[in-house]
């Protein structure tokens, strides 16, 4: 598999100052490479997410920025200064840990005041800033409590306040909402987003939850196997994935291995080994158009596929199949259609008034050539 | 259908099960209960009775009950003995803590993982020999022509007479109980959540600041458990002060021994001292249960 070189082009071009920069960073643990040459630039005030499956090296990347790990190779810069020989306690970053790591022998107030006390902050300023930080996360009523007396969501808020009170250049968040239940997670997502807008501080968040990354971030880096697969805005990542991994990891998709047959202008004809012919209108995923008989992967999002006869009567990407499975999801209906070729296709239909065809009946599915992507293998 | 015979049989054996529930605790607890009653509770009660008979001596007609023995304890000469015993116990606890913490810290946090158990075993090894043997070993080191003086003279330093003085007792007690302290502190330090140290560093704490603000407070229950255990053990120890202490280092434990088996044979006074020692140790155990790290103490 040829590895695509991901360059963080647009970030380097813009004039906005950079807060964090990773240059060809490698990290090896006992002979196992966790991070394989990462280039990353994070702008000032940005909400940046590092997204990937577990074991992809995203937490290691965050720990490299925080200083808990030293890079085996490469360089980490914060505000243009090399951090190679700077210990964690001298870096202008603060971390919200996955497990919160609150000091359970201290009250909420003392937890939040910890960083300021170390900086020999004056008493009046300490009072003011700790109070303000607790107010920011709506925890001022719990200042005298101990962490063990708080719920998970409340501990999360204290952890946030403890990091924010120090006014760091960058706030690092390691799966900050991972331990919360779904409802609380949704609430905290909104609060995180509000906090970020209110404070204007750079947030770098590590998460495996694609929905969380898509809804919160200005930009996302998708990691896999210690490498960055793609960096871009949520819509770029979702609409124009550059690798099959990104297409598959972000949202649901149908992937077809195939080979480029003929090329008509900017439209490719891709032929799968099972004989399916798919027309793909070329997108910017390709630096230059793939040549004939090159191996590609075609990605079609389930919500871009329609069931029933094509309204325009066109026969582009229109196939016959059997409706194998229907799952009712409320707002949508999730269908599985087995095509004549034997390929299984996942289709997401909006729940409209018209009735779906009978189960096991023969149906037609179609999608527009502009609604699918051909990705390099 | 299949459940009917099953239900019948369980109803029939209901009284058997009830009987078993009644007998089970008795069968399980009786042997150790008898053992404890015969060898611990009864003798303690006997000593309690003797302590309430002023001036009881074996072979002499017993006097009437009274608190004379306890009042006698308050004589200056005895108060001095009690004070010395407490001093040895507190001193041993402090020295064990100062020596034990760095060792336990290093084994639990800094040493390579696969070396930890071996290092611990090495530290506990002295516990496998008899305490009497260990005290004799120290005599050979501390005596006038012993190892310590030989080494001192090698460096041109004057030899000292170490034996039969308080420092010898302190050395002996520390040697005896340091392994307990190390084990308990290790158990406590090993449980220390490293993420808290990372969080402290993240908030700007240097390693020294992290140690005093996080590590020490987090292991305070272990420190309390280790300290109280060493205190209890060294307060009641007899072998070390008897063999290394000499005439000038009279402790409560030696005093009790003398009252029962020595020249004076005042069993009444010895009993009152025994009761006071039991009381002191009980208070320490109560403190241990309240403030100590119980899981660490258990190990």
């Amino acid at each position: 598999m040829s590895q695509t070189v991901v360059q963080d082009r647009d970030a380097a071009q813009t004039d906005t100052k950079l807060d964090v920069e990773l240059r060809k960073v490698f990290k090896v643990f006992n002979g196992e490479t966790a991070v394989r040459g990462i280039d990353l630039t994070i702008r000032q005030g940005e909400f940046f997410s590092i997204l990937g499956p577990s074991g992809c090296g995203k937490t290691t990347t965050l720990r490299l920025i925080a200083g808990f790990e030293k890079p085996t190779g490469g360089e980490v810069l914060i505000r243009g200064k090399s951090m190679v020989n700077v210990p964690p306690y001298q870096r202008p970053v603060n971390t919200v840990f996955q497990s919160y790591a609150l000091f359970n022998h201290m009250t909420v107030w003392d937890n939040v005041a910890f960083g300021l006390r170390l900086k020999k902050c004056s008493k009046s300023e300490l009072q003011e800033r700790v109070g303000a930080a607790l107010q920011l996360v709506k925890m001022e009523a719990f200042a005298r409590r101990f962490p063990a007396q708080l719920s998970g969501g409340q501990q999360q808020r204290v952890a946030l306040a403890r990091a924010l009170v120090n006014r760091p250049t960058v706030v690092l968040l390691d799966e900050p909402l991972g331990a919360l239940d779904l409802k609380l997670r949704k609430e905290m997502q909104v609060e995180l987003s509000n906090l970020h807008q209110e404070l204007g501080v750079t947030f770098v968040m590590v998460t495996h939850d694609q929905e969380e990354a898509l809804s919160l971030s200005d930009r996302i880096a998708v990691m896999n196997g210690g490498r960055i697969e793609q960096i871009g805005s949520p819509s770029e990542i979702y609409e124009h994935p550059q690798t099959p991994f990104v297409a598959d990891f972000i949202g649901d998709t149908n992937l077809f291995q195939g080979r480029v047959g003929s090329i008509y202008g900017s439209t490719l004809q891709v032929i799968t080994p099972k004989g399916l012919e798919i027309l793909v209108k070329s997108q910017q995923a390709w630096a230059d158009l793939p040549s004939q008989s090159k191996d590609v992967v075609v990605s079609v999002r389930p919500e871009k596929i329609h069931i029933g006869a094509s309204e325009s009567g066109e026969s582009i990407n229109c196939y016959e199949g059997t409706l194998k499975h229907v799952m009712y999801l409320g707002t949508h209906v999730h269908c599985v259609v087995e095509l004549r070729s034997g390929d299984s296709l996942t289709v997401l239909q909006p729940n409209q008034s018209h009735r779906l065809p009978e189960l096991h009946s023969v149906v037609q599915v179609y999608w527009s050539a502009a609604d699918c992507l051909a990705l390099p293998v | 259908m299949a459940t009917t015979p099953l239900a019948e049989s369980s109803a029939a054996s209901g009284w058997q099960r009830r009987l078993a529930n009644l007998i089970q605790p008795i069968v399980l607890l009786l042997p150790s209960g008898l053992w404890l009653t015969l060898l611990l509770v009864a003798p303690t009660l006997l000593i309690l009775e003797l302590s309430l008979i002023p001036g009881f001596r074996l072979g002499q007609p017993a006097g009437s009950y009274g608190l004379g023995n306890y009042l006698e304890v308050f004589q200056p000469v005895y108060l001095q003995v009690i004070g010395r015993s407490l001093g040895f116990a507190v001193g041993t606890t402090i020295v064990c803590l100062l020596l034990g913490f760095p060792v336990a810290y290093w084994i639990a946090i800094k040493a390579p993982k696969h070396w930890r158990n071996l290092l611990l075993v090495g530290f506990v090894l002295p516990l496998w020999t008899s305490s009497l043997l260990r005290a004799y070993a120290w005599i050979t080191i501390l005596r006038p022509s012993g190892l310590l003086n030989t080494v001192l003279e090698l460096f041109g330093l004057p030899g000292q007479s170490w034996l039969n003085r308080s420092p010898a007792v302190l050395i002996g007690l520390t040697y005896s109980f340091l392994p307990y302290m190390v084990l308990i502190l290790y158990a406590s330090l090993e449980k220390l959540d490293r993420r808290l140290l990372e969080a402290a560093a993240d908030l700007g704490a240097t390693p020294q600041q992290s140690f005093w603000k996080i590590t020490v407070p987090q292991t305070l229950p272990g420190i309390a458990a280790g300290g109280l255990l060493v205190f209890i053990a060294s307060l009641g120890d007899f072998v070390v002060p008897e063999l290394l202490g000499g005439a000038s280092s009279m402790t409560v434990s030696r005093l009790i021994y003398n009252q029962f088996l020595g020249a004076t044979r005042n069993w009444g006074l010895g009993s009152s001292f025994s009761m006071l020692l039991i009381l002191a140790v009980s208070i320490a155990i109560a403190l241990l249960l309240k403030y100590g790290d119980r899981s660490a103490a258990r190990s």
Side-chain angles (χ1 to χ4, degrees):
Chain A
M1 214 171 95
S2 72
Q3 191 59 48
T4 44
V5 179
V6 178
Q7 279 184 335
D8 201 356
R9 265 175 272 118
D10 40 304
Q13 281 165 5
T14 48
D15 288 338
T16 38
K17 284 185 197 157
L18 300 179
D19 259 350
V20 182
E21 215 176 323
L22 268 63
R23 291 180 186 161
K24 299 256 172 306
V25 171
F26 282 85
K27 179 66 194 177
V28 181
F29 290 111
N30 304 322
E32 271 190 55
T33 314
V35 172
R36 302 166 187 268
I38 279 187
D39 284 301
L40 199 64
T41 50
I42 298 166
R43 299 171 199 144
Q44 263 179 41
E46 192 171 33
F47 198 134
F48 192 91
S49 289
I50 304 173
L51 176 65
S54 60
C56 71
K58 57 188 192 299
T59 294
T60 305
T61 306
L62 198 77
R63 291 173 62 82
L64 284 162
I65 300 172
F68 302 135
E69 310 289 353
K70 281 195 162 190
T72 314
E75 208 179 358
V76 176
L77 294 96
I78 297 175
R79 286 260 163 104
K81 265 188 234 145
S82 171
M83 289 288 134
V84 171
N85 289 313
V86 180
Y89 54 89
Q90 283 170 354
R91 296 194 183 194
V93 300
N94 285 118
T95 308
V96 177
F97 292 87
Q98 184 173 10
S99 52
Y100 316 138
L102 295 178
F103 307 130
N104 49 20
H105 61 285
M106 295 180 194
T107 60
V108 166
W109 180 276
D110 291 333
N111 264 281
V112 177
F114 190 86
L116 295 180
R117 285 196 177 126
L118 289 170
K119 289 187 192 82
K120 304 268 178 281
C121 185
S122 77
K123 235 189 171 138
S124 57
E125 197 193 345
L126 183 117
Q127 290 282 335
E128 195 190 316
R129 281 171 69 176
V130 174
L134 285 173
Q135 205 172 359
L136 195 67
V137 296
K138 304 186 189 84
M139 285 298 289
E140 63 268 47
F142 299 88
R144 297 275 151 245
R145 298 257 192 112
F146 283 89
Q149 297 167 308
L150 302 178
S151 70
Q154 291 169 332
Q155 291 186 26
Q156 166 70 66
R157 288 159 194 274
V158 176
L160 261 170
R162 190 177 66 172
L164 294 173
V165 76
N166 303 295
R167 296 181 188 154
T169 303
V170 181
V171 180
L172 305 174
L173 304 119
D174 185 7
E175 304 258 7
L177 311 178
L180 303 179
D181 60 63
L182 187 68
K183 193 164 174 290
L184 206 53
R185 196 153 68 220
K186 296 279 174 213
E187 277 175 36
M188 285 305 292
Q189 280 178 13
V190 174
E191 289 196 28
L192 264 186
S193 179
N194 289 343
L195 273 177
H196 174 251
Q197 271 163 19
E198 213 170 305
L199 300 170
V201 187
T202 309
F203 276 33
V204 181
M205 179 175 78
V206 154
T207 182
H208 65 268
D209 184 337
Q210 40 133 332
E211 206 186 306
E212 195 169 289
L214 290 173
S215 60
L216 291 176
S217 320
D218 296 319
R219 284 194 309 146
I220 300 172
V222 182
M223 279 189 79
N224 182 34
R227 289 192 181 86
I228 291 179
E229 294 260 336
Q230 187 173 354
I231 297 177
S233 70
S235 68
E236 278 169 9
I237 296 264
Y238 188 80
E239 303 288 346
H240 306 294
Q242 287 174 347
T243 66
F245 175 83
V246 175
D248 198 29
F249 190 73
I250 313 289
D252 269 338
T253 196
N254 296 288
L255 294 178
F256 298 94
Q257 309 275 339
R259 182 165 289 184
V260 177
S262 14
I263 302 172
Y264 320 98
S266 64
T267 305
L268 307 177
Q269 181 207 33
V270 179
I271 301 162
T272 73
K274 284 173 181 166
L276 219 60
E277 278 179 35
I278 306 171
L279 290 183
V280 183
K281 196 150 177 136
S282 154
Q283 306 276 346
Q284 62 246 62
W286 295 103
D288 33 20
L289 223 57
S291 50
Q292 225 162 355
S293 73
K294 198 176 153 107
D295 282 330
V296 292
V297 172
V298 176
S299 162
V300 197
R301 297 281 186 203
E303 72 270 19
K304 307 275 188 190
I305 303 173
H306 306 274
I307 294 183
S310 169
E311 279 151 36
S312 56
E314 280 182 83
S315 59
I316 287 174
N317 297 336
C318 183
Y319 310 97
E320 220 170 61
T322 319
L323 192 58
K324 279 283 180 195
H325 194 257
V326 175
M327 205 171 12
Y328 183 73
L329 298 177
T331 56
H332 283 79
V333 181
H334 180 275
C335 309
V336 179
V337 176
E338 195 182 284
L339 300 184
R340 281 268 166 82
S341 61
D343 290 297
S344 231
L345 203 63
T346 305
V347 183
L348 205 61
Q349 289 277 295
N351 187 7
Q352 285 162 343
S353 52
H354 64 76
R355 279 179 58 229
L356 273 167
E358 296 270 315
L359 205 59
H360 303 301
S361 65
V362 175
V363 293
Q364 288 212 317
V365 292
Y366 65 94
W367 64 86
S368 136
D371 279 342
C372 56
L373 293 166
L375 305 169
V377 179
Chain B
M1 257 199 288
T3 59
T4 320
L6 209 84
E8 268 171 15
S9 79
S10 74
S13 66
W15 66 273
Q16 284 177 326
R17 217 180 306 127
R18 248 171 285 148
L19 191 69
N21 285 345
L22 211 68
I23 290 173
Q24 204 180 37
I26 297 173
V27 170
L28 291 177
L29 296 179
L30 199 65
S32 65
L34 272 178
W35 184 267
L36 279 175
T37 310
L38 278 175
L39 298 174
L40 190 74
V41 178
T44 307
L45 289 174
L46 212 63
I47 286 173
L48 179 65
E49 194 200 355
L50 289 183
S51 76
L52 293 169
I53 305 172
F56 179 92
R57 283 175 169 78
L58 199 62
Q60 287 184 13
S64 54
Y65 290 112
L67 289 173
N69 291 326
Y70 288 97
L71 294 175
E72 211 177 327
V73 167
F74 289 97
Q75 285 181 24
V77 61
Y78 292 138
L79 286 179
Q80 206 190 343
V81 170
I82 293 172
R84 188 181 297 117
S85 276
L86 287 172
F88 280 142
V90 170
T92 306
T93 306
I94 291 171
V95 176
C96 279
L97 199 58
L98 292 179
L99 292 178
F101 200 96
V103 174
Y105 183 83
W106 188 79
I107 296 178
I109 309 245
K110 301 283 175 193
K113 254 200 177 101
H114 50 278
W115 280 96
R116 281 181 197 162
N117 283 338
L118 207 67
L119 286 164
L120 276 181
V121 168
F123 237 85
V124 181
L125 219 55
L127 289 180
W128 292 355
T129 62
S130 117
S131 61
L132 201 63
L133 216 63
R134 276 179 276 152
Y136 277 119
W138 275 106
I139 291 178
T140 65
I141 294 171
L142 298 176
R143 67 180 177 201
S145 59
L147 189 65
L148 185 58
N149 277 348
T150 314
V151 172
L152 283 179
E153 279 153 18
L154 223 72
F155 288 96
L157 294 163
Q160 303 274 325
S161 97
W162 299 99
L163 272 182
N164 303 334
R165 295 168 69 183
S166 296
V169 178
L170 208 58
I171 289 172
L173 288 174
T174 301
Y175 178 73
S176 292
F177 303 124
L178 185 60
Y180 295 105
M181 180 67 95
V182 170
L183 272 182
I184 291 171
L185 289 178
Y186 169 82
S188 194
L189 281 162
E190 201 234 322
K191 279 189 307 186
L192 178 72
D193 189 347
R194 309 294 178 83
R195 289 169 300 189
L196 296 185
L197 299 181
E198 283 188 350
D202 186 73
L203 293 166
T206 62
Q208 288 86 348
Q209 287 169 323
S210 290
F211 178 80
W212 290 110
K213 286 175 189 289
I214 308 297
T215 308
V216 170
Q218 284 284 326
T219 48
L220 218 49
I223 293 170
L228 283 165
L229 209 80
V230 169
F231 177 83
I232 292 165
S234 50
L235 186 65
D237 192 72
F238 169 73
V239 171
V240 170
E242 177 71 13
L243 292 182
L244 303 177
S248 63
S249 300
M250 182 59 67
T251 61
V252 173
S253 55
R254 294 178 69 193
L255 192 80
I256 293 168
Y257 174 85
N258 285 349
Q259 295 304 327
F260 278 92
L261 302 171
T264 46
R265 299 273 164 139
N266 186 344
W267 283 30
L269 183 64
S271 298
S272 68
F273 269 106
S274 298
M275 293 315 294
L276 288 177
L277 195 59
I278 290 171
L279 184 72
V281 170
S282 302
I283 290 171
I285 290 174
L287 288 174
L288 177 65
L289 292 180
K290 191 154 196 304
Y291 297 108
D293 181 344
R294 282 188 223 182
S295 65
R298 228 176 280 131
S299 76

